[in-house]
Amino acid sequence: LLYTACLAGILLWFFNSPDPRFAYGWLLFAGCLAPAWFLAPLLSPLKVRLGLLTCAGVTLWYLLQQWEPGHLVTPGPVRQPDYKAVAVGSTTYHIPELLPGNWNTRCYYTPLPCIYEYNPYLQQRTPNLKDGFRMWPRPDSAFVINYRY
């Protein structure tokens, strides 16, 4: 019954949004359920309780390390990275700097248009931001054309 429910959840995820981050819970549960059946006879109730208490203690310790008063119901403020303004043609783009604790740069509340790397081919289609951007003149490199900015 558990395995059927888990497989149904994985199928729903696959047909609705095939990005693995939305199915980690289902995938981890399905991956751990089969080994749990084989390991169950080897574990005593005392070992299981000790393991559960250890997991609960580590989770509680982690939550206390991350605790910020006043952020139990509402989220904390979004950090705004420093940025540098770069002119490409007639448009000024903003390139955010790396915030501590992040492995990559993120725009957050950086003024638009925000890009992560300098691209000499990038230009606005029209003076209106909502009309989007294009690379012009067309680059002669397949890497530059297909790179996701």
Side-chain angles (χ1 to χ4, degrees):
L1 182 65
L2 285 175
Y3 222 49
T4 305
C6 187
L7 290 176
I10 291 173
L11 284 174
L12 285 172
W13 153 75
F14 184 76
F15 289 112
N16 288 329
S17 101
D19 189 345
R21 66 187 169 138
F22 297 114
Y24 282 145
W26 295 112
L27 294 171
L28 283 172
F29 184 76
C32 292
L33 192 59
W37 280 334
F38 295 109
L39 293 175
L42 302 175
L43 297 175
S44 68
L46 178 63
K47 289 180 185 176
V48 171
R49 286 189 186 123
L50 190 60
L52 288 174
L53 281 173
T54 302
C55 287
V58 168
T59 302
L60 184 63
W61 174 80
Y62 176 77
L63 289 174
L64 291 174
Q65 295 295 320
Q66 302 297 320
W67 174 261
E68 289 185 32
H71 296 260
L72 183 62
V73 177
T74 59
V78 176
R79 299 178 295 174
Q80 182 172 357
D82 293 331
Y83 62 90
K84 61 182 177 181
V86 175
V88 178
S90 61
T91 307
T92 301
Y93 298 97
H94 303 98
I95 301 177
E97 294 180 8
L98 185 66
L99 284 173
N102 289 350
W103 63 274
N104 62 354
T105 57
R106 300 173 189 174
C107 285
Y108 292 125
Y109 287 122
T110 304
L112 297 176
C114 176
I115 59 175
Y116 297 115
E117 293 182 13
Y118 176 78
N119 180 355
Y121 299 101
L122 193 62
Q123 68 176 219
Q124 285 183 244
R125 292 182 187 274
T126 66
N128 195 343
L129 278 178
K130 72 178 183 179
D131 292 329
F133 300 86
R134 66 179 177 180
M135 288 197 281
W136 191 261
R138 188 156 175 81
D140 58 354
S141 165
F143 174 78
V144 172
I145 292 171
N146 296 317
Y147 187 77
R148 294 186 177 261
Y149 289 93

